[in-house]
Amino acid sequence: MAGFDTLMHLFAGGCGGAVGAIVTCPLDVVKTRLQSSGSLAGIRPWDTCHSTSLISNVVPVDGSTVRLVQGHVPQTPPSLLRCLQTIVEKEGMRSLFRGLGPNLVGMAPSRAIYFAAYSRAKDKFSTIFQPSSPLVHISSAACAGFITNTCVNPIWLVKTRLQLYARHRGECSLTALQCTRHVYRTEGIRGFYRGITASYAGILETIMYFTLYEAMKDALLKQSKTQNSIDGQKRAIDFLHIMFAAAVSKSCACCLAYPHEVGRTRLREEGTKYRGFVQTLLLVVREEGYRALYRGLQAHLLRQIPNTALTMATYELVVYLLSN
């Protein structure tokens, strides 16, 4: 039964992650572009008079080309809609789904690993601390976050590089395999773990999220049980409550811990001046101001809220179906 329970959470977590990744992929691309240090997040110099960026020389990668956008960050970052419009106009609709392959390859196992680790850790910590206490949720979330980030950081690095790859409409796209070979050839194995320190710092966001989520979910489900007596109606309301709790708790955690997202994207860029997590944050503040630590927050929230709600609702639904 313990083995089945672990597999059930692995499968449920993978389903939830895949659904959320597909629906919100365009916003993920826009968020990554806005977080980067490139000119207007991939928008070329002729797209705006405020940009002072330069396009670097083309770097060969297994017969393809990688166009890196480098230079000074523009004075006025583009809006979310402006970034979406420019990507569609210059690169085509398909570019809004750049990195979806690695995202699906990484999201399903990362969510699966996370939910399985969280579930097992919660069982273990419940024997040490008071069951269902905030301390159990915090400890479980920290363990699950550390394990997941360590396992899937290489996949997320490739996804980020693909999303930052700017191309003209009709040009050949850089594939995940080509990007992986390029990273290995130029940076070695260590290159796949760029940004891992920022990911570990992001565990604080996960801790805040799961602590708020568990508290809100329990409170809403208790209220639902006292107000609804019909099973079918109660289950439907329960899943709405789960989605609401996930969306609210995730938005709060994202706002509080967002700077680590910007730091992680900057660290994952190729050939940049960013070397360490703290050094990156200090350099961003010194060169661009404190507001730069929240570049792309709007796109991040618009993506994360429905993504988290879909992920958690799918996860809880699959667990419910498999448990019965």
Side-chain angles (χ1 to χ4, degrees), residues 217-250:
K217 184 182 74 170
D218 290 344
L220 290 171
L221 291 183
K222 286 179 182 178
Q223 182 181 9
S224 176
K225 288 179 181 178
T226 60
Q227 293 179 352
N228 301 281
S229 56
I230 302 175
D231 279 349
Q233 181 184 8
K234 183 179 72 172
R235 280 191 224 120
I237 291 176
D238 284 349
F239 285 111
L240 288 176
H241 285 167
I242 288 169
M243 293 181 72
F244 177 77
V248 173
S249 56
K250 188 64 176 181

PDB file of all heavy atoms in Angstrom, residues 217-250:
ATOM      1  N   LYS A 217      -6.964  25.494   2.670  1.00  0.00           N
ATOM      2  CA  LYS A 217      -7.718  24.330   2.192  1.00  0.00           C
ATOM      3  C   LYS A 217      -8.481  23.671   3.336  1.00  0.00           C
ATOM      4  O   LYS A 217      -9.672  23.353   3.201  1.00  0.00           O
ATOM      5  CB  LYS A 217      -6.768  23.315   1.548  1.00  0.00           C
ATOM      6  CG  LYS A 217      -7.487  22.120   0.930  1.00  0.00           C
ATOM      7  CD  LYS A 217      -6.510  21.110   0.357  1.00  0.00           C
ATOM      8  CE  LYS A 217      -5.835  20.328   1.475  1.00  0.00           C
ATOM      9  NZ  LYS A 217      -5.048  19.171   0.938  1.00  0.00           N
ATOM     10  N   ASP A 218      -7.816  23.473   4.464  1.00  0.00           N
ATOM     11  CA  ASP A 218      -8.483  22.850   5.614  1.00  0.00           C
ATOM     12  C   ASP A 218      -9.654  23.680   6.092  1.00  0.00           C
ATOM     13  O   ASP A 218     -10.730  23.148   6.399  1.00  0.00           O
ATOM     14  CB  ASP A 218      -7.474  22.652   6.758  1.00  0.00           C
ATOM     15  CG  ASP A 218      -6.439  21.579   6.436  1.00  0.00           C
ATOM     16  OD1 ASP A 218      -6.674  20.799   5.491  1.00  0.00           O
ATOM     17  OD2 ASP A 218      -5.393  21.529   7.118  1.00  0.00           O
ATOM     18  N   ALA A 219      -9.450  25.001   6.161  1.00  0.00           N
ATOM     19  CA  ALA A 219     -10.527  25.875   6.638  1.00  0.00           C
ATOM     20  C   ALA A 219     -11.715  25.857   5.686  1.00  0.00           C
ATOM     21  O   ALA A 219     -12.877  25.772   6.111  1.00  0.00           O
ATOM     22  CB  ALA A 219     -10.000  27.300   6.806  1.00  0.00           C
ATOM     23  N   LEU A 220     -11.460  25.920   4.384  1.00  0.00           N
ATOM     24  CA  LEU A 220     -12.538  25.937   3.398  1.00  0.00           C
ATOM     25  C   LEU A 220     -13.266  24.605   3.320  1.00  0.00           C
ATOM     26  O   LEU A 220     -14.498  24.557   3.192  1.00  0.00           O
ATOM     27  CB  LEU A 220     -11.978  26.311   2.028  1.00  0.00           C
ATOM     28  CG  LEU A 220     -11.520  27.764   1.857  1.00  0.00           C
ATOM     29  CD1 LEU A 220     -10.794  27.949   0.533  1.00  0.00           C
ATOM     30  CD2 LEU A 220     -12.710  28.713   1.950  1.00  0.00           C
ATOM     31  N   LEU A 221     -12.520  23.508   3.422  1.00  0.00           N
ATOM     32  CA  LEU A 221     -13.166  22.194   3.361  1.00  0.00           C
ATOM     33  C   LEU A 221     -14.004  21.916   4.600  1.00  0.00           C
ATOM     34  O   LEU A 221     -15.063  21.284   4.518  1.00  0.00           O
ATOM     35  CB  LEU A 221     -12.105  21.100   3.180  1.00  0.00           C
ATOM     36  CG  LEU A 221     -11.389  21.082   1.820  1.00  0.00           C
ATOM     37  CD1 LEU A 221     -10.409  19.921   1.736  1.00  0.00           C
ATOM     38  CD2 LEU A 221     -12.386  21.022   0.680  1.00  0.00           C
ATOM     39  N   LYS A 222     -13.551  22.399   5.760  1.00  0.00           N
ATOM     40  CA  LYS A 222     -14.356  22.251   6.980  1.00  0.00           C
ATOM     41  C   LYS A 222     -15.655  23.025   6.862  1.00  0.00           C
ATOM     42  O   LYS A 222     -16.723  22.562   7.251  1.00  0.00           O
ATOM     43  CB  LYS A 222     -13.556  22.732   8.191  1.00  0.00           C
ATOM     44  CG  LYS A 222     -12.455  21.783   8.629  1.00  0.00           C
ATOM     45  CD  LYS A 222     -11.699  22.336   9.823  1.00  0.00           C
ATOM     46  CE  LYS A 222     -10.564  21.388  10.230  1.00  0.00           C
ATOM     47  NZ  LYS A 222      -9.783  21.935  11.367  1.00  0.00           N
ATOM     48  N   GLN A 223     -15.569  24.230   6.315  1.00  0.00           N
ATOM     49  CA  GLN A 223     -16.760  25.037   6.109  1.00  0.00           C
ATOM     50  C   GLN A 223     -17.693  24.371   5.106  1.00  0.00           C
ATOM     51  O   GLN A 223     -18.909  24.379   5.267  1.00  0.00           O
ATOM     52  CB  GLN A 223     -16.372  26.432   5.618  1.00  0.00           C
ATOM     53  CG  GLN A 223     -17.552  27.367   5.415  1.00  0.00           C
ATOM     54  CD  GLN A 223     -17.129  28.723   4.899  1.00  0.00           C
ATOM     55  OE1 GLN A 223     -15.973  28.927   4.534  1.00  0.00           O
ATOM     56  NE2 GLN A 223     -18.056  29.662   4.843  1.00  0.00           N
ATOM     57  N   SER A 224     -17.114  23.769   4.078  1.00  0.00           N
ATOM     58  CA  SER A 224     -17.917  23.102   3.056  1.00  0.00           C
ATOM     59  C   SER A 224     -18.664  21.910   3.634  1.00  0.00           C
ATOM     60  O   SER A 224     -19.826  21.679   3.305  1.00  0.00           O
ATOM     61  CB  SER A 224     -17.011  22.640   1.906  1.00  0.00           C
ATOM     62  OG  SER A 224     -17.751  21.916   0.958  1.00  0.00           O
ATOM     63  N   LYS A 225     -18.024  21.174   4.524  1.00  0.00           N
ATOM     64  CA  LYS A 225     -18.659  19.988   5.120  1.00  0.00           C
ATOM     65  C   LYS A 225     -19.856  20.365   5.970  1.00  0.00           C
ATOM     66  O   LYS A 225     -20.839  19.637   6.049  1.00  0.00           O
ATOM     67  CB  LYS A 225     -17.642  19.215   5.946  1.00  0.00           C
ATOM     68  CG  LYS A 225     -16.599  18.483   5.112  1.00  0.00           C
ATOM     69  CD  LYS A 225     -15.598  17.761   6.001  1.00  0.00           C
ATOM     70  CE  LYS A 225     -14.552  17.056   5.150  1.00  0.00           C
ATOM     71  NZ  LYS A 225     -13.530  16.371   5.987  1.00  0.00           N
ATOM     72  N   THR A 226     -19.790  21.498   6.622  1.00  0.00           N
ATOM     73  CA  THR A 226     -20.893  21.916   7.488  1.00  0.00           C
ATOM     74  C   THR A 226     -22.059  22.515   6.702  1.00  0.00           C
ATOM     75  O   THR A 226     -23.191  22.543   7.188  1.00  0.00           O
ATOM     76  CB  THR A 226     -20.409  22.964   8.503  1.00  0.00           C
ATOM     77  OG1 THR A 226     -19.903  24.103   7.790  1.00  0.00           O
ATOM     78  CG2 THR A 226     -19.315  22.400   9.377  1.00  0.00           C
ATOM     79  N   GLN A 227     -21.802  22.975   5.459  1.00  0.00           N
ATOM     80  CA  GLN A 227     -22.840  23.642   4.681  1.00  0.00           C
ATOM     81  C   GLN A 227     -23.469  22.759   3.611  1.00  0.00           C
ATOM     82  O   GLN A 227     -24.526  23.096   3.097  1.00  0.00           O
ATOM     83  CB  GLN A 227     -22.254  24.891   4.001  1.00  0.00           C
ATOM     84  CG  GLN A 227     -21.851  25.981   4.983  1.00  0.00           C
ATOM     85  CD  GLN A 227     -21.261  27.183   4.273  1.00  0.00           C
ATOM     86  OE1 GLN A 227     -21.014  27.144   3.074  1.00  0.00           O
ATOM     87  NE2 GLN A 227     -21.047  28.259   5.021  1.00  0.00           N
ATOM     88  N   ASN A 228     -22.834  21.651   3.261  1.00  0.00           N
ATOM     89  CA  ASN A 228     -23.323  20.808   2.170  1.00  0.00           C
ATOM     90  C   ASN A 228     -23.458  19.372   2.629  1.00  0.00           C
ATOM     91  O   ASN A 228     -22.553  18.812   3.219  1.00  0.00           O
ATOM     92  CB  ASN A 228     -22.372  20.869   0.967  1.00  0.00           C
ATOM     93  CG  ASN A 228     -22.218  22.299   0.446  1.00  0.00           C
ATOM     94  OD1 ASN A 228     -23.065  22.797  -0.260  1.00  0.00           O
ATOM     95  ND2 ASN A 228     -21.132  22.955   0.829  1.00  0.00           N
ATOM     96  N   SER A 229     -24.592  18.783   2.305  1.00  0.00           N
ATOM     97  CA  SER A 229     -24.841  17.403   2.723  1.00  0.00           C
ATOM     98  C   SER A 229     -24.928  16.445   1.543  1.00  0.00           C
ATOM     99  O   SER A 229     -24.837  15.242   1.712  1.00  0.00           O
ATOM    100  CB  SER A 229     -26.156  17.333   3.515  1.00  0.00           C
ATOM    101  OG  SER A 229     -27.229  17.861   2.736  1.00  0.00           O
ATOM    102  N   ILE A 230     -25.121  16.986   0.325  1.00  0.00           N
ATOM    103  CA  ILE A 230     -25.219  16.123  -0.862  1.00  0.00           C
ATOM    104  C   ILE A 230     -23.823  15.847  -1.378  1.00  0.00           C
ATOM    105  O   ILE A 230     -23.063  16.774  -1.636  1.00  0.00           O
ATOM    106  CB  ILE A 230     -26.070  16.799  -1.951  1.00  0.00           C
ATOM    107  CG1 ILE A 230     -27.463  17.116  -1.393  1.00  0.00           C
ATOM    108  CG2 ILE A 230     -26.178  15.909  -3.184  1.00  0.00           C
ATOM    109  CD1 ILE A 230     -28.332  17.887  -2.364  1.00  0.00           C
ATOM    110  N   ASP A 231     -23.477  14.579  -1.559  1.00  0.00           N
ATOM    111  CA  ASP A 231     -22.114  14.208  -1.931  1.00  0.00           C
ATOM    112  C   ASP A 231     -21.645  14.873  -3.218  1.00  0.00           C
ATOM    113  O   ASP A 231     -20.558  15.428  -3.273  1.00  0.00           O
ATOM    114  CB  ASP A 231     -21.984  12.688  -2.068  1.00  0.00           C
ATOM    115  CG  ASP A 231     -21.798  12.023  -0.715  1.00  0.00           C
ATOM    116  OD1 ASP A 231     -21.572  12.768   0.263  1.00  0.00           O
ATOM    117  OD2 ASP A 231     -21.898  10.791  -0.656  1.00  0.00           O
ATOM    118  N   GLY A 232     -22.457  14.789  -4.291  1.00  0.00           N
ATOM    119  CA  GLY A 232     -22.024  15.347  -5.563  1.00  0.00           C
ATOM    120  C   GLY A 232     -21.780  16.841  -5.475  1.00  0.00           C
ATOM    121  O   GLY A 232     -20.794  17.355  -5.979  1.00  0.00           O
ATOM    122  N   GLN A 233     -22.710  17.554  -4.802  1.00  0.00           N
ATOM    123  CA  GLN A 233     -22.555  18.999  -4.663  1.00  0.00           C
ATOM    124  C   GLN A 233     -21.339  19.319  -3.802  1.00  0.00           C
ATOM    125  O   GLN A 233     -20.571  20.231  -4.095  1.00  0.00           O
ATOM    126  CB  GLN A 233     -23.817  19.581  -4.033  1.00  0.00           C
ATOM    127  CG  GLN A 233     -23.772  21.110  -3.867  1.00  0.00           C
ATOM    128  CD  GLN A 233     -24.993  21.643  -3.161  1.00  0.00           C
ATOM    129  OE1 GLN A 233     -25.815  20.881  -2.652  1.00  0.00           O
ATOM    130  NE2 GLN A 233     -25.126  22.954  -3.121  1.00  0.00           N
ATOM    131  N   LYS A 234     -21.144  18.545  -2.765  1.00  0.00           N
ATOM    132  CA  LYS A 234     -20.017  18.800  -1.872  1.00  0.00           C
ATOM    133  C   LYS A 234     -18.693  18.603  -2.586  1.00  0.00           C
ATOM    134  O   LYS A 234     -17.774  19.403  -2.418  1.00  0.00           O
ATOM    135  CB  LYS A 234     -20.086  17.852  -0.667  1.00  0.00           C
ATOM    136  CG  LYS A 234     -18.986  18.110   0.350  1.00  0.00           C
ATOM    137  CD  LYS A 234     -19.091  17.180   1.534  1.00  0.00           C
ATOM    138  CE  LYS A 234     -18.689  15.775   1.122  1.00  0.00           C
ATOM    139  NZ  LYS A 234     -18.589  14.877   2.297  1.00  0.00           N
ATOM    140  N   ARG A 235     -18.551  17.570  -3.398  1.00  0.00           N
ATOM    141  CA  ARG A 235     -17.297  17.324  -4.094  1.00  0.00           C
ATOM    142  C   ARG A 235     -16.991  18.451  -5.080  1.00  0.00           C
ATOM    143  O   ARG A 235     -15.875  18.905  -5.189  1.00  0.00           O
ATOM    144  CB  ARG A 235     -17.360  15.994  -4.838  1.00  0.00           C
ATOM    145  CG  ARG A 235     -17.122  14.804  -3.939  1.00  0.00           C
ATOM    146  CD  ARG A 235     -16.932  13.547  -4.764  1.00  0.00           C
ATOM    147  NE  ARG A 235     -17.683  12.459  -4.175  1.00  0.00           N
ATOM    148  CZ  ARG A 235     -18.650  11.793  -4.780  1.00  0.00           C
ATOM    149  NH1 ARG A 235     -18.987  12.104  -6.012  1.00  0.00           N
ATOM    150  NH2 ARG A 235     -19.286  10.833  -4.174  1.00  0.00           N
ATOM    151  N   ALA A 236     -17.982  18.907  -5.832  1.00  0.00           N
ATOM    152  CA  ALA A 236     -17.767  19.993  -6.783  1.00  0.00           C
ATOM    153  C   ALA A 236     -17.303  21.254  -6.065  1.00  0.00           C
ATOM    154  O   ALA A 236     -16.367  21.934  -6.501  1.00  0.00           O
ATOM    155  CB  ALA A 236     -19.050  20.269  -7.567  1.00  0.00           C
ATOM    156  N   ILE A 237     -17.945  21.574  -4.965  1.00  0.00           N
ATOM    157  CA  ILE A 237     -17.564  22.765  -4.191  1.00  0.00           C
ATOM    158  C   ILE A 237     -16.178  22.586  -3.592  1.00  0.00           C
ATOM    159  O   ILE A 237     -15.384  23.527  -3.525  1.00  0.00           O
ATOM    160  CB  ILE A 237     -18.614  23.031  -3.084  1.00  0.00           C
ATOM    161  CG1 ILE A 237     -19.930  23.473  -3.720  1.00  0.00           C
ATOM    162  CG2 ILE A 237     -18.110  24.090  -2.108  1.00  0.00           C
ATOM    163  CD1 ILE A 237     -21.057  23.668  -2.753  1.00  0.00           C
ATOM    164  N   ASP A 238     -15.866  21.378  -3.172  1.00  0.00           N
ATOM    165  CA  ASP A 238     -14.538  21.110  -2.597  1.00  0.00           C
ATOM    166  C   ASP A 238     -13.430  21.433  -3.589  1.00  0.00           C
ATOM    167  O   ASP A 238     -12.422  22.049  -3.228  1.00  0.00           O
ATOM    168  CB  ASP A 238     -14.432  19.648  -2.162  1.00  0.00           C
ATOM    169  CG  ASP A 238     -15.185  19.391  -0.851  1.00  0.00           C
ATOM    170  OD1 ASP A 238     -15.588  20.377  -0.222  1.00  0.00           O
ATOM    171  OD2 ASP A 238     -15.350  18.219  -0.495  1.00  0.00           O
ATOM    172  N   PHE A 239     -13.591  21.016  -4.841  1.00  0.00           N
ATOM    173  CA  PHE A 239     -12.538  21.272  -5.824  1.00  0.00           C
ATOM    174  C   PHE A 239     -12.437  22.753  -6.175  1.00  0.00           C
ATOM    175  O   PHE A 239     -11.356  23.256  -6.454  1.00  0.00           O
ATOM    176  CB  PHE A 239     -12.759  20.429  -7.082  1.00  0.00           C
ATOM    177  CG  PHE A 239     -12.402  18.981  -6.891  1.00  0.00           C
ATOM    178  CD1 PHE A 239     -13.379  17.995  -6.881  1.00  0.00           C
ATOM    179  CD2 PHE A 239     -11.079  18.612  -6.695  1.00  0.00           C
ATOM    180  CE1 PHE A 239     -13.039  16.666  -6.688  1.00  0.00           C
ATOM    181  CE2 PHE A 239     -10.731  17.281  -6.508  1.00  0.00           C
ATOM    182  CZ  PHE A 239     -11.711  16.307  -6.501  1.00  0.00           C
ATOM    183  N   LEU A 240     -13.546  23.468  -6.146  1.00  0.00           N
ATOM    184  CA  LEU A 240     -13.491  24.916  -6.329  1.00  0.00           C
ATOM    185  C   LEU A 240     -12.742  25.573  -5.179  1.00  0.00           C
ATOM    186  O   LEU A 240     -11.959  26.512  -5.380  1.00  0.00           O
ATOM    187  CB  LEU A 240     -14.906  25.495  -6.434  1.00  0.00           C
ATOM    188  CG  LEU A 240     -15.667  25.205  -7.727  1.00  0.00           C
ATOM    189  CD1 LEU A 240     -17.083  25.758  -7.653  1.00  0.00           C
ATOM    190  CD2 LEU A 240     -14.931  25.799  -8.925  1.00  0.00           C
ATOM    191  N   HIS A 241     -12.972  25.081  -3.976  1.00  0.00           N
ATOM    192  CA  HIS A 241     -12.263  25.607  -2.809  1.00  0.00           C
ATOM    193  C   HIS A 241     -10.762  25.327  -2.903  1.00  0.00           C
ATOM    194  O   HIS A 241      -9.934  26.165  -2.521  1.00  0.00           O
ATOM    195  CB  HIS A 241     -12.836  24.990  -1.527  1.00  0.00           C
ATOM    196  CG  HIS A 241     -14.154  25.570  -1.147  1.00  0.00           C
ATOM    197  ND1 HIS A 241     -14.969  24.999  -0.189  1.00  0.00           N
ATOM    198  CD2 HIS A 241     -14.813  26.675  -1.590  1.00  0.00           C
ATOM    199  CE1 HIS A 241     -16.066  25.729  -0.065  1.00  0.00           C
ATOM    200  NE2 HIS A 241     -15.982  26.748  -0.907  1.00  0.00           N
ATOM    201  N   ILE A 242     -10.427  24.132  -3.386  1.00  0.00           N
ATOM    202  CA  ILE A 242      -9.006  23.781  -3.548  1.00  0.00           C
ATOM    203  C   ILE A 242      -8.337  24.720  -4.551  1.00  0.00           C
ATOM    204  O   ILE A 242      -7.225  25.212  -4.320  1.00  0.00           O
ATOM    205  CB  ILE A 242      -8.874  22.311  -3.999  1.00  0.00           C
ATOM    206  CG1 ILE A 242      -9.225  21.375  -2.840  1.00  0.00           C
ATOM    207  CG2 ILE A 242      -7.457  22.018  -4.502  1.00  0.00           C
ATOM    208  CD1 ILE A 242      -9.382  19.922  -3.245  1.00  0.00           C
ATOM    209  N   MET A 243      -9.002  24.994  -5.676  1.00  0.00           N
ATOM    210  CA  MET A 243      -8.442  25.893  -6.675  1.00  0.00           C
ATOM    211  C   MET A 243      -8.295  27.312  -6.122  1.00  0.00           C
ATOM    212  O   MET A 243      -7.299  27.995  -6.371  1.00  0.00           O
ATOM    213  CB  MET A 243      -9.323  25.906  -7.928  1.00  0.00           C
ATOM    214  CG  MET A 243      -9.347  24.597  -8.687  1.00  0.00           C
ATOM    215  SD  MET A 243     -10.380  24.645 -10.171  1.00  0.00           S
ATOM    216  CE  MET A 243      -9.372  25.666 -11.238  1.00  0.00           C
ATOM    217  N   PHE A 244      -9.291  27.756  -5.368  1.00  0.00           N
ATOM    218  CA  PHE A 244      -9.228  29.094  -4.772  1.00  0.00           C
ATOM    219  C   PHE A 244      -8.086  29.193  -3.777  1.00  0.00           C
ATOM    220  O   PHE A 244      -7.313  30.167  -3.782  1.00  0.00           O
ATOM    221  CB  PHE A 244     -10.555  29.412  -4.079  1.00  0.00           C
ATOM    222  CG  PHE A 244     -10.567  30.739  -3.376  1.00  0.00           C
ATOM    223  CD1 PHE A 244     -10.702  31.915  -4.096  1.00  0.00           C
ATOM    224  CD2 PHE A 244     -10.433  30.796  -1.992  1.00  0.00           C
ATOM    225  CE1 PHE A 244     -10.707  33.146  -3.443  1.00  0.00           C
ATOM    226  CE2 PHE A 244     -10.434  32.017  -1.330  1.00  0.00           C
ATOM    227  CZ  PHE A 244     -10.570  33.204  -2.062  1.00  0.00           C
ATOM    228  N   ALA A 245      -7.961  28.185  -2.906  1.00  0.00           N
ATOM    229  CA  ALA A 245      -6.881  28.197  -1.916  1.00  0.00           C
ATOM    230  C   ALA A 245      -5.515  28.176  -2.584  1.00  0.00           C
ATOM    231  O   ALA A 245      -4.592  28.887  -2.169  1.00  0.00           O
ATOM    232  CB  ALA A 245      -7.025  26.996  -0.977  1.00  0.00           C
ATOM    233  N   ALA A 246      -5.376  27.389  -3.642  1.00  0.00           N
ATOM    234  CA  ALA A 246      -4.099  27.312  -4.349  1.00  0.00           C
ATOM    235  C   ALA A 246      -3.757  28.634  -5.024  1.00  0.00           C
ATOM    236  O   ALA A 246      -2.612  29.098  -4.965  1.00  0.00           O
ATOM    237  CB  ALA A 246      -4.150  26.190  -5.394  1.00  0.00           C
ATOM    238  N   ALA A 247      -4.752  29.264  -5.655  1.00  0.00           N
ATOM    239  CA  ALA A 247      -4.501  30.520  -6.369  1.00  0.00           C
ATOM    240  C   ALA A 247      -4.113  31.645  -5.409  1.00  0.00           C
ATOM    241  O   ALA A 247      -3.143  32.379  -5.650  1.00  0.00           O
ATOM    242  CB  ALA A 247      -5.738  30.918  -7.174  1.00  0.00           C
ATOM    243  N   VAL A 248      -4.843  31.792  -4.325  1.00  0.00           N
ATOM    244  CA  VAL A 248      -4.572  32.880  -3.373  1.00  0.00           C
ATOM    245  C   VAL A 248      -3.230  32.682  -2.681  1.00  0.00           C
ATOM    246  O   VAL A 248      -2.416  33.609  -2.569  1.00  0.00           O
ATOM    247  CB  VAL A 248      -5.706  32.994  -2.332  1.00  0.00           C
ATOM    248  CG1 VAL A 248      -5.339  33.998  -1.244  1.00  0.00           C
ATOM    249  CG2 VAL A 248      -7.000  33.405  -3.000  1.00  0.00           C
ATOM    250  N   SER A 249      -2.972  31.480  -2.207  1.00  0.00           N
ATOM    251  CA  SER A 249      -1.725  31.228  -1.489  1.00  0.00           C
ATOM    252  C   SER A 249      -0.509  31.358  -2.413  1.00  0.00           C
ATOM    253  O   SER A 249       0.538  31.877  -2.011  1.00  0.00           O
ATOM    254  CB  SER A 249      -1.748  29.833  -0.849  1.00  0.00           C
ATOM    255  OG  SER A 249      -2.003  28.829  -1.815  1.00  0.00           O
ATOM    256  N   LYS A 250      -0.647  30.936  -3.675  1.00  0.00           N
ATOM    257  CA  LYS A 250       0.465  31.043  -4.615  1.00  0.00           C
ATOM    258  C   LYS A 250       0.750  32.496  -4.964  1.00  0.00           C
ATOM    259  O   LYS A 250       1.923  32.898  -5.090  1.00  0.00           O
ATOM    260  CB  LYS A 250       0.150  30.251  -5.888  1.00  0.00           C
ATOM    261  CG  LYS A 250       1.338  30.146  -6.844  1.00  0.00           C
ATOM    262  CD  LYS A 250       2.477  29.361  -6.204  1.00  0.00           C
ATOM    263  CE  LYS A 250       3.626  29.149  -7.161  1.00  0.00           C
ATOM    264  NZ  LYS A 250       4.723  28.366  -6.568  1.00  0.00           N
TER     265      LYS A 250
END
